[in-house]
Amino acid sequence: MSTRAGIEVSGEREPKDLAQAIRELLSADLSADASVQIALINNPEIKALYAELDVVQSDLIQAGLLKNPVFEAKLRKASESKGSNTEFSAVQDFISILTVPLRKKVGARQFEQAKLRVADGVLKLAGETRSAYYSLQATEQTLSMRETILEASKAAAELAERQYKAGNISALVHASEQAMFQEAELDVVRAGEEEVKARESLNQLMGLTADEAANWKIKPELPSLPAEDPSLKTLEDAAFAQRLDLAAARMEQDILSRRLTLAKLGVIPDASIGYSSEKKPEGAGNEKFTGPILEAQIPLFDRGQAQRMGVKAQIKASEHRLAALELAIRTELKTAHKRLVSSRQIAERYEAVLIPLHETIVKETQLHYNFMLKGVYELLLAKQKEVNARRDHIEALKDYWVALSDLERIAGGRLIASSLPRDQAPEPQKQMPGPEHEHHHHGGDHQ
Amino acid sequence: MENRVKVFELIVEPCKHEMAPGMVINAWCYNGQTPGPTIEAVEGDRVRILVENKLPEPTAVHWHGVLLPSGMDGVGGLSQRHIPPGDTFAYEFTLKQYGTQMYHSHGDEMVQMGLGTMGFFIIHPKKREKKIDRDYAIMLNEWFVEPGAMTPNPNVMTDFNLFTFNSRAFPGTAPLAARPGERVRLRFGHVGQDFHAIHLHGHTFKTVATDGGDIPESAQWPETTVALGPGQTRDVEFIATEGDWALHCHLRHHPMNAMGHEVPLMLGVNQEGVEDQIQSQLPGYMAMGEKGMHEHTEHAKHMKGPENTLPMMAGGGPFGPIGMGGMFTVFKVHEDIPRFATAEDYSKRVQAPEDLGWYKNPPGTVAESIYKEGKIPSKEGVGPSGKPVVYVCPMHSDVRSNKPGVCPKCGMTLEPQREKKEMHHH
């Protein structure tokens, strides 16, 4: 096994081209990670971004994106270490590797911005694709359950029909039973529509052709809850360590403060200096900067604005922007984390308590039916209620996984910050990104 | 007996009571039983009855039909203070009559009687003209117990689901017994809420006494069914005729145990096809009721119901399932019925109809099929179930006909196709 920049290559054959890679991924039951992988290769909007930044197929291959599977190789490693979120891969590593060749292609000044755009595009797409995947799983399970309920409704309606023909019930009761059956049929139609919507959503994100889109299947069931949730503190640490926009904002402050120093010494900085004059010796610097960027422009990259504003004013503005970003990140994390915790609570309660209660109700109703104490319609209704409870459980599970996916995006591509050596922890004075990024595995703790 | 006074002790308290094997209820009892112990005395006796109240609420005991001083009548608040929980009151009076009387709670009657506080108070005459060989007392009552639960709901006014003889439901009712030719007296008492019409098979009897006293012989009413409303007692007498005779309330639902009254009517509704559909989701499901309820007597043997619940129709006889419940018992009149010294002796030794064996019918006196070996000929090609009979070649199953005949392929006689047996799913 060789280590290529953080992603283990286990000697699997590398597909020759995009189409083949996609075919291979689609040939088995699609996992969430596989759908993310296809999207990152094939989504037209991300391809437009790649084209803008001159990211080509060989870069994707270098990042291991065409290997099948790429993320799951990382998964295996991650699941061996403690506290792993095994369903989640390190999209962030992929971004880091992908952006390596960028350095050579775009000008030095545009490099940071390019990195931000790539990270933003990739993380957004990965998050949306994951959410679409889990939604599709949920709608498929819902459809299947509505069909089960329909079978029970159909039997009840048929019995009522026969009762009516035998003269045992009135036209009024007969009509009521038929109406319930009709509603159940329409519920299936509605669920079918939801399923198609969800499927097309995922197709669109994965950028598949009509042929490719026709036949793939996903894993039929949402994954069960992982053993633990990441804590809010862990997520905050990760976000503050990983998010590219935070790092860029800090870097901006650092550069501005240096500029102020130079200005005080009477040195007029070259308008083109910016970041490139601060080159750090090769080999040092181990930070990874990833994360979606803020909507607002960072004036560092806008030469005109930088010239117009006084440096002190620039520093003040930059401080406020950094504070705003930190506040937004904290708020989003808290909200998404609460959603995570709540949907876990709901899903667990359904699984541990409510569904078993409904099973008991069905079982006891059957016993009452055996002794002619309750009738068949009551029995079928009890069964339908059990299926509905299972459906609600699925919804809660889906909410959990979508929340977790959102958290990954907000935290900057990885739910747990990688452990950085102490002297490379982000600090305004020392931190400068080097020309090359190297990943080091720190024992088994590397997430 | 103290100072020429017959002393009786009654403790009224909550207890557990078995309605029939498989069903126990939370009842309120006298001396641990419902109905309470029968108080027996003789006309002219002075009786003293100590009543200790171990119920959670106050009570009083009314001596129903007994002529006594107003303050001994036992109506709480009217005749006396209610007996507080924990206290013991004494009732004392001289008996001025004979006959079948009763006693029951007269504090919060709806609840207390609804949970079982009642009993017989039988006053014997000093001298009886005719000798009675067997003397039985049966207390009637109605209950509502939610299937699967244990506590009767005394709030129920008309929609009862369990009916009892001496607080027992068939197949938990003990049989009655006598030898042929013996004079039998049955005393019925009733302080429940419904009307009952108790019918004895195989005999006509005379109603010889009411709760008001003896009926003169010329006025004695001949019947096979004696009607009782709440508050009444009736004594009937007859000479026993040999056989195993049903004794039951004739209100059709009363000799049955609990059934759901809201269950959809499936009479005449064939469930072929639908039954399978339902079983795919509910594996234990079995179609019921298409052909009536008799099948339930078989089902109940291997199907489980809610816990602590009696099957609607149960009990077995010598010729198959009897399929009854509630107010039903068997009156056995055989030559070899033993004599019993006391009621306790009887209760101990006789609990189920089979305990005394079954009546041996003399030859030629049992209703049977007119066809030899059960070979019922098909009438116009219609089988026992009413479906047209299909005749099939035993060798070639594709050869089928609506009429008997021979197979064109091999010449064998076509046989009526055996009807599909229902598979029982557990």
Side-chain angles (χ1 to χ4, degrees), chain B residues 75-107:
Chain B
V75 178
L78 181 64
S79 325
Q80 59 167 92
R81 274 193 305 131
H82 282 89
I83 309 172
D87 207 341
T88 304
F89 275 32
Y91 296 83
E92 191 168 323
F93 42 89
T94 304
L95 299 172
K96 299 181 199 146
Q97 79 217 94
Y98 63 87
T100 304
Q101 309 305 341
M102 300 180 284
Y103 67 92
H104 62 83
S105 157
H106 224 291

Side-chain angles (χ1 to χ4, degrees), chain A residues 111-133:
Chain A
F111 178 54
E112 283 305 315
Q113 191 176 21
K115 252 195 342 187
L116 282 172
R117 289 182 65 200
V118 166
D120 182 48
V122 165
L123 283 169
K124 260 209 196 99
L125 180 60
E128 280 173 14
T129 306
R130 235 185 250 289
S131 289
Y133 180 89

Side-chain angles (χ1 to χ4, degrees), chain A residues 184-224:
Chain A
E185 264 202 326
L186 293 181
D187 281 341
V188 169
V189 172
R190 290 182 192 107
E193 185 199 330
E194 287 302 311
E195 200 257 346
V196 167
K197 231 168 53 180
R199 194 182 166 93
E200 286 314 311
S201 204
L202 191 54
N203 273 331
Q204 184 184 7
L205 288 164
M206 292 196 289
L208 298 178
T209 65
D211 275 343
E212 288 166 333
N215 294 319
W216 55 262
K217 294 198 187 335
I218 56 166
K219 295 193 160 120
E221 280 178 22
L222 279 158
S224 28

Side-chain angles (χ1 to χ4, degrees), chain A residues 237-255:
Chain A
D237 289 347
F240 279 72
Q242 290 167 170
R243 278 182 68 137
L244 229 179
D245 49 357
L246 267 181
R250 288 188 204 113
M251 192 190 351
E252 177 194 50
Q253 286 201 302
D254 177 55
I255 288 169

Side-chain angles (χ1 to χ4, degrees), chain B residues 196-333:
Chain B
H196 297 289
I198 311 299
H199 175 59
L200 174 64
H201 290 217
H203 299 75
T204 56
F205 50 74
K206 294 260 178 69
T207 304
V208 301
T210 69
D211 39 283
D214 282 352
I215 300 173
E217 198 161 340
S218 56
Q220 285 174 1
W221 199 246
E223 282 188 299
T224 65
T225 302
V226 56
L228 277 107
Q232 296 183 322
T233 72
R234 292 286 182 267
D235 294 4
V236 306
E237 276 184 25
F238 55 91
I239 304 297
T241 306
E242 61 183 286
D244 279 337
W245 304 109
L247 171 64
H248 63 90
C249 178
H250 219 286
L251 277 84
R252 284 198 302 272
H253 282 231
H254 292 189
M256 282 177 70
N257 294 323
M259 183 185 142
H261 293 150
E262 307 298 318
V263 171
L265 182 62
M266 288 299 172
L267 211 50
V269 176
N270 182 295
Q271 288 198 35
E272 223 171 311
V274 188
E275 190 182 15
D276 297 329
Q277 250 183 294
I278 298 175
Q279 277 167 355
S280 67
Q281 293 194 21
L282 294 155
Y285 176 78
M286 223 173 94
M288 288 186 193
E290 180 193 347
K291 301 180 183 151
M293 303 282 198
H294 179 78
E295 59 191 7
H296 188 69
T297 57
E298 290 301 319
H299 293 173
K301 287 190 192 149
H302 61 83
M303 281 182 116
K304 255 192 81 182
E307 60 180 359
N308 203 51
T309 304
L310 299 173
M312 179 176 74
M313 300 153 67
F319 295 98
I322 294 179
M324 294 279 174
M327 286 176 156
F328 182 94
T329 191
V330 181
F331 180 49
K332 307 172 86 61
V333 186

